[in-house]
Amino acid sequence: MKHFSDLIQRLRARFADQRTYYWVFLGVLLVPNLFLCCTEPIVWPGKVALMLLPGAVWMALLTVAPKPGAPFWCTLPLLVLGAFQLVLLYLFGNSIIAVDMFLNVATTNSGEALELLGKLEPAIVGVLLLYIPALVLATLSIRLPARLSATFRRRNAVRSGILLLVGIGAMVGARLQDPEYRAKLDIWPLNIGYNMGLAVERWQKSDRYPLTSADFCFGAVSERPDSIREVYVLVIGETSRALNWQLYGYPRETNPHLSEQEGLICFRDVLTQANATHKSVPIMLCSASAENYGTLYTRKSILSAFREAGFRTAFFSNQSENHSFIDFFGAEADTTLFLKSAAQARGEAYNPYDDLLLQSVSGLLADTSFRKTFLVLHTYGSHFDYQERYPADSAYFLPASYDDVRPDHREVLLNAYDNSIRATDQLLSDLISYLRALPNTASGLLYASDHGEDLYDDARGLFLHASPRPTYYQLHIPCVLWLSPTYDAEWPESRLAAESHRDKPMTTNVIFHTLLSMGGIETPQRNDSLAVTSPRFTVTPRHYLNDHNKPRTLDRIGLGAEDIAMFRRMGLAFPAERVRDRLSAAGLE
């Protein structure tokens, strides 16, 4: 008991001294930097600079007042970003808060956010235990009568200057070792400020989209007569990865209905060009791609092209409006419906399943007064929380109910995820049945997911998507095409071309051009070398759109040896340069 009493007395004495608070606050401020030193692939001088430069600034900042609690409270915005950073490291295992992550926060509805936050208790509890007590201590520091001595403050100001110089030297050394090293990209929180600025810039540019694209015209016309009724449906999947589709060799029955569909063409080697919905879906819907993404701000979508060509168009979404390009493109249709937003406008709490989209589709297809119809369906697919994407009584893989997200819950998470894919399988099969039943109608359905998902698949322990560095699991997506017998009879060359290209490597920038080719839409924006239904389709190097909206080939986007091994296992094309060395170094050759 005496030892415990002595310990309490020592702690009281320690926390009656402002120097204790000074060092505690300095340590708390450097926690994100310490974690990033362990997670980021930076050359060792860069790691030194990552610690010393911010550390020097914090040391100087904490000396500006005799009570360090006051300047520490002034860093509250930085502490919030630090908490955000640590949660993302828990999720993704590496990388700073990316531009896309800031935009994801801005474009994610509250329901999605709550679904995710409710399952991240360990990370959230961890950051709260770090930052809340620190702020309490800062308040105590302000209230204490004691002050930092002038000598202490002066000495540490000098030390901070010395560390700053050493840090600058380390930064120069890092640049000499790695020509791509940049302080604004590799030193926290400078990189956070830089990315926030880019996010604001992109948001402002997208906000002006209705003005910057107002004068755009496809000059689109249909090359086909009205004597044959035509109906085409694009279904945009959500967070569905090819690895878990039965059609792609997955041992589980996740595609029991599509596996029995006659005439279905499954494209084996399709990669998304972005792993975040707000970027990947626009690439599908317009002629912008990773290679020319800047054109997105001045061009309209596939809906306008079909509309100009005389098609009745409709956009039905099971996702909420979020003031993104998806909303702008959807508004170009003759008929636009966001199921959740419509319900919220009526004051309803509503989380419909994707099969409710069928009601809107059936009503539209029943109207035969239009000879040409084009529909876009944006599903909620397999977006987390997976167990909310289908009725509980339809769960096929069990158990599928979980309360939190942890690696040791992977089997249950996987069950729920696979159940969501079965729900997509049912939706697509029902849509094909609708189209097949249309008399004397040339019809087609094209499905592609916007991106995939990490599901604690390997030793890296990665989960979800939209990580600054993508993985195989986020890149390889399912893409299937169905054409009706009437369509095949009228334009057999489209099926022949698609069948011949089914195993060729491609990315989601083919969706836009394939739809124009399928629908017989002539426009200067159509590029048949990117249309899988055209004999002119050409295989080109594949690019991914990185966080700073730069196109990068697959060997330059930070894929790990585990990812390259999965490319090989799945028989996907991958740039050969340096692959063998990277696999050998990881023991995966």
Side-chain angles (χ1 to χ4, degrees), residues 374-441:
F374 175 63
L375 311 177
V376 176
L377 306 183
H378 190 193
T379 67
Y380 214 7
S382 299
H383 197 288
F384 189 84
D385 188 354
Y386 317 128
Q387 60 190 341
E388 299 295 332
R389 304 286 86 89
Y390 54 88
D393 58 6
S394 71
Y396 183 81
F397 302 107
L398 297 170
S401 179
Y402 48 86
D403 294 322
D404 58 1
V405 174
R406 300 198 309 267
D408 59 333
H409 286 179
R410 183 178 189 270
E411 181 180 353
V412 181
L413 289 166
L414 190 64
N415 287 340
Y417 184 81
D418 287 347
N419 287 334
S420 72
I421 294 178
R422 284 179 65 95
T424 296
D425 174 78
Q426 182 69 63
L427 172 69
L428 295 178
S429 296
D430 289 344
L431 285 168
I432 291 173
S433 296
Y434 281 22
L435 296 175
R436 194 190 297 274
L438 296 175
N440 303 316
T441 301

Side-chain angles (χ1 to χ4, degrees), residues 55-376:
V57 174
W58 307 147
M59 285 183 70
L61 175 67
L62 292 172
T63 61
V64 299
K67 297 183 178 183
F72 185 77
W73 260 107
C74 294
T75 66
L76 181 59
L78 191 68
L79 300 182
V80 173
L81 290 174
F84 190 9
Q85 178 68 74
L86 295 175
V87 171
L88 290 184
L89 289 177
Y90 174 85
L91 274 177
F92 300 138
N94 55 36
S95 294
I96 62 163
I97 306 173
V99 180
D100 287 334
M101 189 54 59
F102 285 118
L103 293 174
N104 284 340
V105 171
T107 58
T108 296
N109 64 71
S110 58
E112 286 184 7
L114 291 174
E115 283 180 351
L116 177 58
L117 291 176
K119 304 299 186 296
L120 295 178
E121 290 182 6
I124 294 172
V125 169
V127 297
L128 290 178
L129 289 177
L130 173 65
Y131 290 114
I132 296 300
L135 289 170
V136 172
L137 289 177
T139 302
L140 293 176
S141 168
I142 294 171
R143 298 181 64 179
L144 276 177
R147 294 168 173 261
L148 290 174
S149 68
T151 301
F152 179 90
R153 293 166 63 191
R154 184 168 53 253
R155 182 181 300 134
N156 279 281
V158 172
R159 288 171 177 168
S160 70
I162 295 172
L163 291 178
L164 184 66
L165 293 175
V166 176
I168 292 173
M171 186 174 62
V172 173
R175 183 66 182 273
L176 292 175
Q177 283 194 26
D178 180 4
E180 295 188 1
Y181 176 88
R182 297 288 186 280
K184 67 180 181 181
L185 302 179
D186 296 304
I187 294 182
W188 200 94
L190 280 179
N191 42 23
I192 300 302
Y194 178 67
N195 284 352
M196 287 182 70
L198 288 178
V200 171
E201 178 184 331
R202 288 188 202 170
W203 181 266
Q204 291 173 340
K205 288 179 69 175
S206 65
D207 195 48
R208 294 195 298 269
Y209 171 78
L211 295 175
T212 57
S213 65
D215 297 330
F216 180 83
C217 179
F218 279 98
V221 295
S222 174
E223 61 186 17
R224 299 168 182 170
D226 290 342
S227 56
I228 299 174
R229 187 186 181 197
E230 296 178 73
V231 176
Y232 304 107
V233 181
L234 168 64
V235 182
I236 302 171
E238 173 65 63
T239 319
S240 194
R241 64 187 199 178
L243 182 66
N244 288 59
W245 278 51
Q246 184 182 352
L247 292 177
Y248 288 78
Y250 191 51
R252 283 182 154 187
E253 294 185 4
T254 52
N255 302 126
H257 301 291
L258 289 178
S259 296
E260 298 177 354
Q261 285 288 351
E262 295 183 3
L264 192 73
I265 302 172
C266 178
F267 297 98
R268 315 295 306 183
D269 192 355
V270 184
L271 306 182
T272 183
Q273 286 203 315
N275 65 354
T277 300
H278 74 269
K279 287 166 67 171
S280 58
V281 172
I283 286 175
M284 293 186 195
L285 292 178
C286 82
S287 58
S289 65
E291 296 85 343
N292 66 341
Y293 192 71
T295 62
L296 177 70
Y297 299 99
T298 59
R299 298 181 183 178
K300 292 183 179 177
S301 78
I302 190 77
L303 287 153
S304 287
F306 272 87
R307 192 176 182 185
E308 285 182 28
F311 279 72
R312 172 183 55 172
T313 58
F315 180 88
F316 300 134
S317 175
N318 193 26
Q319 300 204 19
S320 297
E321 294 173 277
N322 54 21
H323 201 67
S324 68
F325 278 99
I326 301 170
D327 297 1
F328 298 143
F329 289 169
E332 295 173 16
D334 295 302
T335 303
T336 305
L337 176 62
F338 289 84
L339 297 181
K340 293 183 180 179
S341 298
Q344 291 167 359
R346 297 192 298 268
E348 301 174 7
Y350 194 45
N351 189 24
Y353 304 119
D354 285 338
D355 60 3
L356 197 65
L357 291 166
L358 293 171
Q359 294 181 12
S360 300
V361 173
S362 61
L364 201 68
L365 296 183
D367 182 1
T368 59
S369 60
F370 287 88
R371 300 300 294 168
K372 298 176 183 289
T373 301
F374 175 63
L375 311 177
V376 176

